[in-house]
Amino acid sequence: STAIINSGSALGMALGYIGSSYMVKGLGWDWRPLIYVTGALIIIVVIAFAKVIKEKPAEKAVEGTKEKDPNDKATMKTLFGDIRMVSAYVIYFSVCYGYYMIVTWLPSYLQMERGFQGAAIGFASALVAFASVPGALLFSRLSDKFKHKKIMVVILLQIIAAVTLYLTVAVQNNELLILFLIMYGFFGKLAVDPIMISYVADIAPKQGYSTTFGVFNFFGMMSSVVAPFVTGLISDATGSKILGFYLAIGIIIVCTAFLFFVNVKSSRRKKVEANEQDFKFSK
Protein backbone atom coordinates (compact mmCIF):
# COMPACT_ATOMS: atom_id res chain seq x y z
CA SER A 1 0.00 0.00 0.00
CA THR A 2 2.90 2.38 0.71
CA ALA A 3 4.22 1.81 -2.82
CA ILE A 4 0.79 2.57 -4.32
CA ILE A 5 0.45 5.78 -2.28
CA ASN A 6 3.97 6.88 -3.27
CA SER A 7 3.10 6.23 -6.90
CA GLY A 8 0.59 9.07 -6.65
CA SER A 9 3.39 11.36 -5.51
CA ALA A 10 5.57 10.29 -8.43
CA LEU A 11 2.83 10.83 -11.01
CA GLY A 12 2.02 14.24 -9.52
CA MET A 13 5.67 15.28 -9.75
CA ALA A 14 5.92 14.04 -13.34
CA LEU A 15 2.80 15.91 -14.45
CA GLY A 16 4.05 19.02 -12.66
CA TYR A 17 7.38 18.86 -14.49
CA ILE A 18 5.79 18.35 -17.88
CA GLY A 19 2.98 20.88 -17.43
CA SER A 20 5.12 23.65 -15.98
CA SER A 21 7.95 23.28 -18.50
CA TYR A 22 5.51 23.20 -21.41
CA MET A 23 3.54 26.24 -20.27
CA VAL A 24 6.48 28.33 -19.04
CA LYS A 25 9.25 27.32 -21.44
CA GLY A 26 7.12 26.26 -24.40
CA LEU A 27 4.22 28.72 -24.36
CA GLY A 28 6.01 31.53 -22.54
CA TRP A 29 3.52 31.82 -19.67
CA ASP A 30 4.46 33.62 -16.48
CA TRP A 31 5.26 31.06 -13.75
CA ARG A 32 3.51 32.96 -10.92
CA PRO A 33 -0.13 32.09 -11.79
CA LEU A 34 0.83 28.39 -11.75
CA ILE A 35 1.46 28.68 -8.01
CA TYR A 36 -2.16 29.74 -7.49
CA VAL A 37 -3.37 26.90 -9.71
CA THR A 38 -1.36 24.44 -7.61
CA GLY A 39 -2.76 25.95 -4.39
CA ALA A 40 -6.31 25.62 -5.72
CA LEU A 41 -5.73 21.96 -6.61
CA ILE A 42 -4.43 21.28 -3.10
CA ILE A 43 -7.53 22.86 -1.54
CA ILE A 44 -9.82 20.81 -3.81
CA VAL A 45 -8.01 17.58 -2.88
CA VAL A 46 -8.17 18.43 0.85
CA ILE A 47 -11.94 19.02 0.61
CA ALA A 48 -12.39 15.73 -1.29
CA PHE A 49 -10.22 13.96 1.29
CA ALA A 50 -12.32 15.33 4.15
CA LYS A 51 -15.56 14.27 2.42
CA VAL A 52 -14.51 10.78 1.38
CA ILE A 53 -12.06 9.54 4.01
CA LYS A 54 -13.73 8.65 7.30
CA GLU A 55 -12.01 7.59 10.49
CA LYS A 56 -12.58 4.02 11.53
CA PRO A 57 -14.36 3.92 14.90
CA ALA A 58 -12.18 2.67 17.73
CA GLU A 59 -12.83 -0.94 18.61
CA LYS A 60 -13.92 -1.69 22.15
CA ALA A 61 -11.47 -3.58 24.29
CA VAL A 62 -12.26 -7.25 24.66
CA GLU A 63 -11.86 -8.90 28.03
CA GLY A 64 -8.98 -11.29 28.26
CA THR A 65 -6.94 -9.54 25.58
CA LYS A 66 -3.23 -9.12 26.18
CA GLU A 67 -2.37 -6.00 28.14
CA LYS A 68 -0.05 -3.46 26.59
CA ASP A 69 3.54 -3.56 27.67
CA PRO A 70 4.32 -0.20 29.34
CA ASN A 71 7.99 -0.56 28.38
CA ASP A 72 7.17 -1.09 24.69
CA LYS A 73 6.98 2.59 23.78
CA ALA A 74 9.09 5.24 22.08
CA THR A 75 11.86 6.61 24.30
CA MET A 76 15.25 8.17 23.61
CA LYS A 77 16.74 4.72 24.17
CA THR A 78 14.50 2.97 21.63
CA LEU A 79 14.81 5.83 19.13
CA PHE A 80 18.58 6.33 19.29
CA GLY A 81 19.96 3.50 21.45
CA ASP A 82 19.33 0.79 18.84
CA ILE A 83 22.02 0.87 16.15
CA ARG A 84 19.57 -0.65 13.66
CA MET A 85 17.23 2.30 14.12
CA VAL A 86 20.11 4.77 13.74
CA SER A 87 21.18 3.02 10.53
CA ALA A 88 17.61 3.39 9.22
CA TYR A 89 17.76 7.15 9.84
CA VAL A 90 21.17 7.41 8.19
CA ILE A 91 20.24 5.47 5.06
CA TYR A 92 16.95 7.32 4.67
CA PHE A 93 18.80 10.65 4.82
CA SER A 94 21.07 9.51 1.99
CA VAL A 95 18.16 8.17 -0.06
CA CYS A 96 16.28 11.45 0.25
CA TYR A 97 19.41 13.57 -0.29
CA GLY A 98 19.92 12.23 -3.80
CA TYR A 99 16.21 12.38 -4.56
CA TYR A 100 15.66 15.98 -3.48
CA MET A 101 18.85 17.09 -5.18
CA ILE A 102 17.48 15.61 -8.41
CA VAL A 103 13.99 17.06 -7.87
CA THR A 104 15.24 20.61 -7.31
CA TRP A 105 18.31 20.89 -9.56
CA LEU A 106 17.88 18.39 -12.41
CA PRO A 107 15.84 20.73 -14.67
CA SER A 108 18.41 23.51 -14.24
CA TYR A 109 21.27 21.07 -14.90
CA LEU A 110 19.60 19.77 -18.07
CA GLN A 111 19.05 23.28 -19.40
CA MET A 112 22.29 25.01 -18.38
CA GLU A 113 24.81 22.19 -18.77
CA ARG A 114 23.27 19.66 -21.17
CA GLY A 115 21.50 21.93 -23.65
CA PHE A 116 17.89 20.78 -23.15
CA GLN A 117 15.31 23.34 -24.18
CA GLY A 118 11.62 24.05 -23.61
CA ALA A 119 9.28 21.18 -22.82
CA ALA A 120 12.12 18.67 -23.27
CA ILE A 121 13.43 19.72 -19.83
CA GLY A 122 10.18 18.73 -18.16
CA PHE A 123 9.79 15.48 -20.11
CA ALA A 124 13.36 14.37 -19.31
CA SER A 125 12.96 15.25 -15.61
CA ALA A 126 9.58 13.53 -15.46
CA LEU A 127 11.11 10.24 -16.58
CA VAL A 128 12.61 9.83 -13.11
CA ALA A 129 9.14 10.00 -11.58
CA PHE A 130 7.47 7.78 -14.20
CA ALA A 131 10.16 5.09 -13.82
CA SER A 132 9.80 5.11 -10.04
CA VAL A 133 6.20 3.83 -10.18
CA PRO A 134 6.93 0.30 -11.48
CA GLY A 135 10.13 0.24 -9.41
CA ALA A 136 8.26 0.97 -6.19
CA LEU A 137 5.60 -1.65 -6.93
CA LEU A 138 8.13 -4.32 -7.93
CA PHE A 139 10.54 -3.94 -5.02
CA SER A 140 7.82 -3.56 -2.41
CA ARG A 141 6.44 -6.86 -3.68
CA LEU A 142 9.88 -8.47 -3.45
CA SER A 143 10.27 -7.06 0.06
CA ASP A 144 7.02 -8.73 1.11
CA LYS A 145 8.19 -12.01 -0.42
CA PHE A 146 11.71 -11.97 1.05
CA LYS A 147 10.97 -10.48 4.48
CA HIS A 148 14.31 -11.44 6.00
CA LYS A 149 16.33 -9.88 3.16
CA LYS A 150 14.98 -6.33 3.30
CA ILE A 151 18.26 -4.67 4.22
CA MET A 152 20.19 -6.47 1.50
CA VAL A 153 17.60 -5.33 -1.05
CA VAL A 154 18.00 -1.74 0.16
CA ILE A 155 21.80 -1.99 -0.06
CA LEU A 156 21.59 -3.35 -3.61
CA LEU A 157 19.17 -0.61 -4.64
CA GLN A 158 21.41 2.09 -3.16
CA ILE A 159 24.50 0.78 -4.96
CA ILE A 160 22.62 0.78 -8.28
CA ALA A 161 21.24 4.27 -7.56
CA ALA A 162 24.76 5.60 -6.86
CA VAL A 163 26.13 4.06 -10.08
CA THR A 164 23.29 5.38 -12.26
CA LEU A 165 23.54 8.83 -10.65
CA TYR A 166 27.27 8.90 -11.46
CA LEU A 167 26.70 7.76 -15.05
CA THR A 168 24.02 10.43 -15.48
CA VAL A 169 26.61 13.20 -15.21
CA ALA A 170 29.60 11.21 -16.53
CA VAL A 171 28.23 10.32 -19.97
CA GLN A 172 28.26 12.96 -22.69
CA ASN A 173 25.53 11.37 -24.79
CA ASN A 174 22.08 12.77 -23.92
CA GLU A 175 20.31 9.57 -24.96
CA LEU A 176 22.39 7.62 -22.43
CA LEU A 177 21.75 10.35 -19.86
CA ILE A 178 18.01 9.80 -20.25
CA LEU A 179 18.50 6.03 -19.92
CA PHE A 180 20.39 6.44 -16.64
CA LEU A 181 17.80 8.90 -15.33
CA ILE A 182 15.14 6.26 -15.94
CA MET A 183 17.27 3.68 -14.14
CA TYR A 184 17.82 6.04 -11.20
CA GLY A 185 14.06 6.56 -10.93
CA PHE A 186 13.41 2.81 -11.09
CA PHE A 187 15.96 1.90 -8.40
CA GLY A 188 15.85 5.11 -6.34
CA LYS A 189 13.94 6.62 -3.44
CA LEU A 190 10.40 5.47 -4.18
CA ALA A 191 11.60 1.88 -4.56
CA VAL A 192 13.40 2.07 -1.19
CA ASP A 193 10.61 3.87 0.71
CA PRO A 194 8.16 0.97 1.25
CA ILE A 195 10.99 -1.40 2.19
CA MET A 196 12.43 0.99 4.79
CA ILE A 197 8.98 1.77 6.23
CA SER A 198 8.34 -1.96 6.60
CA TYR A 199 11.76 -2.47 8.21
CA VAL A 200 11.29 0.36 10.72
CA ALA A 201 7.81 -0.98 11.57
CA ASP A 202 9.39 -4.36 12.38
CA ILE A 203 11.89 -2.94 14.90
CA ALA A 204 9.88 0.02 16.26
CA PRO A 205 8.15 -0.23 19.68
CA LYS A 206 4.53 -1.21 19.13
CA GLN A 207 3.19 1.73 21.16
CA GLY A 208 5.57 4.21 19.56
CA TYR A 209 4.92 3.95 15.83
CA SER A 210 3.93 7.60 15.37
CA THR A 211 6.92 8.96 17.28
CA THR A 212 9.34 6.56 15.60
CA PHE A 213 8.14 7.36 12.10
CA GLY A 214 8.15 11.04 12.99
CA VAL A 215 11.87 10.85 13.81
CA PHE A 216 12.47 8.65 10.75
CA ASN A 217 10.77 11.17 8.45
CA PHE A 218 12.60 14.04 10.16
CA PHE A 219 15.93 12.71 8.92
CA GLY A 220 14.50 12.21 5.44
CA MET A 221 12.97 15.68 5.24
CA MET A 222 16.12 17.25 6.70
CA SER A 223 17.81 16.29 3.45
CA SER A 224 15.14 18.20 1.52
CA VAL A 225 16.53 21.35 3.16
CA VAL A 226 20.23 20.44 3.06
CA ALA A 227 20.48 18.98 -0.48
CA PRO A 228 19.06 21.94 -2.48
CA PHE A 229 20.97 24.47 -0.36
CA VAL A 230 24.34 22.71 -0.53
CA THR A 231 23.99 21.99 -4.27
CA GLY A 232 23.15 25.65 -4.83
CA LEU A 233 26.28 26.73 -2.93
CA ILE A 234 28.39 24.33 -5.01
CA SER A 235 26.83 25.65 -8.22
CA ASP A 236 27.54 29.27 -7.25
CA ALA A 237 31.12 28.48 -6.25
CA THR A 238 32.07 26.31 -9.25
CA GLY A 239 29.62 27.34 -11.97
CA SER A 240 28.48 23.72 -12.31
CA LYS A 241 26.23 21.31 -10.44
CA ILE A 242 28.35 18.24 -11.20
CA LEU A 243 30.15 18.35 -7.84
CA GLY A 244 26.70 18.46 -6.21
CA PHE A 245 25.89 15.17 -7.93
CA TYR A 246 29.20 13.68 -6.79
CA LEU A 247 28.54 14.77 -3.21
CA ALA A 248 25.14 13.03 -3.30
CA ILE A 249 26.84 9.89 -4.64
CA GLY A 250 29.44 10.02 -1.86
CA ILE A 251 26.75 10.38 0.81
CA ILE A 252 24.85 7.40 -0.62
CA ILE A 253 27.98 5.22 -0.65
CA VAL A 254 29.07 6.12 2.91
CA CYS A 255 25.59 5.64 4.39
CA THR A 256 25.07 2.37 2.51
CA ALA A 257 28.39 1.06 3.84
CA PHE A 258 27.28 2.00 7.37
CA LEU A 259 23.98 0.12 6.89
CA PHE A 260 25.86 -2.90 5.54
CA PHE A 261 28.20 -3.17 8.54
CA VAL A 262 25.34 -2.65 10.99
CA ASN A 263 23.41 -5.43 9.25
CA VAL A 264 26.41 -7.78 9.38
CA LYS A 265 26.95 -7.06 13.08
CA SER A 266 23.24 -7.57 13.83
CA SER A 267 23.20 -10.89 11.95
CA ARG A 268 26.24 -12.14 13.86
CA ARG A 269 24.66 -11.19 17.17
CA LYS A 270 21.48 -13.06 16.29
CA LYS A 271 23.48 -16.17 15.43
CA VAL A 272 25.36 -15.99 18.74
CA GLU A 273 22.11 -15.58 20.67
CA ALA A 274 20.55 -18.49 18.77
CA ASN A 275 23.55 -20.71 19.53
CA GLU A 276 23.39 -19.77 23.23
CA GLN A 277 19.68 -20.64 23.30
CA ASP A 278 20.37 -24.00 21.66
CA PHE A 279 23.16 -24.68 24.18
CA LYS A 280 20.88 -23.88 27.15
CA PHE A 281 18.13 -26.05 25.70
CA SER A 282 20.50 -29.00 25.18
CA LYS A 283 21.64 -28.74 28.83
Side-chain angles (χ1 to χ4, degrees):
S1 61
T2 303
I4 296 172
I5 293 170
N6 283 349
S7 298
S9 171
L11 292 175
M13 185 177 77
L15 294 175
Y17 271 141
I18 294 171
S20 59
S21 64
Y22 174 72
M23 287 184 282
V24 175
K25 296 291 185 180
L27 301 179
W29 289 17
D30 183 35
W31 61 270
R32 292 173 181 84
L34 297 179
I35 295 177
Y36 299 109
V37 172
T38 303
L41 289 173
I42 292 172
I43 293 172
I44 292 171
V45 171
V46 168
I47 293 172
F49 187 87
K51 293 281 187 183
V52 175
I53 305 298
K54 304 296 182 183
E55 274 196 57
K56 185 179 179 181
E59 295 181 2
K60 292 183 179 180
V62 180
E63 288 187 21
T65 55
K66 188 178 180 180
E67 292 184 4
K68 294 181 179 179
D69 183 358
N71 296 318
D72 189 24
K73 58 184 180 181
T75 62
M76 292 300 292
K77 184 177 180 180
T78 58
L79 292 173
F80 298 102
D82 188 340
I83 191 65
R84 297 175 301 166
M85 195 69 77
V86 173
S87 69
Y89 304 151
V90 168
I91 197 68
Y92 197 55
F93 175 86
S94 72
V95 169
C96 293
Y97 188 97
Y99 177 77
Y100 287 114
M101 189 271 296
I102 285 288
V103 167
T104 51
W105 286 109
L106 179 62
S108 175
Y109 171 75
L110 293 177
Q111 180 181 16
M112 304 301 295
E113 301 186 45
R114 301 306 292 258
F116 284 69
Q117 297 296 325
I121 300 171
F123 278 105
S125 301
L127 291 174
V128 176
F130 281 130
S132 68
V133 175
L137 295 174
L138 172 63
F139 289 108
S140 61
R141 181 67 176 173
L142 289 176
S143 174
D144 290 339
K145 188 174 181 180
F146 302 101
K147 293 183 179 181
H148 301 295
K149 301 291 183 181
K150 291 177 183 177
I151 293 302
M152 296 310 298
V153 172
V154 171
I155 290 171
L156 177 62
L157 289 176
Q158 283 293 85
I159 292 172
I160 296 174
V163 171
T164 54
L165 200 57
Y166 168 76
L167 292 173
T168 296
V169 293
V171 298
Q172 299 303 312
N173 184 290
N174 283 348
E175 285 74 20
L176 286 176
L177 178 148
I178 290 174
L179 171 63
F180 292 128
L181 281 178
I182 293 172
M183 291 180 66
Y184 175 76
F186 188 82
F187 296 104
K189 175 183 180 293
L190 295 186
V192 174
D193 266 0
I195 304 174
M196 286 306 304
I197 290 172
S198 174
Y199 174 72
V200 172
D202 290 341
I203 62 177
K206 300 301 179 282
Q207 297 181 55
Y209 276 154
S210 297
T211 303
T212 303
F213 279 110
V215 175
F216 176 72
N217 283 325
F218 167 79
F219 282 92
M221 293 311 297
M222 186 168 62
S223 67
S224 72
V225 177
V226 176
F229 176 72
V230 171
T231 308
L233 288 179
I234 292 172
S235 179
D236 290 341
T238 64
S240 172
K241 299 169 187 66
I242 291 179
L243 286 180
F245 279 79
Y246 289 157
L247 176 60
I249 294 165
I251 290 173
I252 291 172
I253 292 172
V254 170
C255 294
T256 302
F258 178 72
L259 179 67
F260 173 77
F261 287 115
V262 168
N263 183 61
V264 169
K265 184 177 180 180
S266 178
S267 298
R268 286 176 179 173
R269 187 178 63 187
K270 286 181 180 178
K271 287 181 180 179
V272 170
E273 290 175 352
N275 290 334
E276 288 177 352
Q277 285 294 111
D278 291 341
F279 179 72
K280 288 179 181 179
F281 181 77
S282 62
K283 289 180 70 176

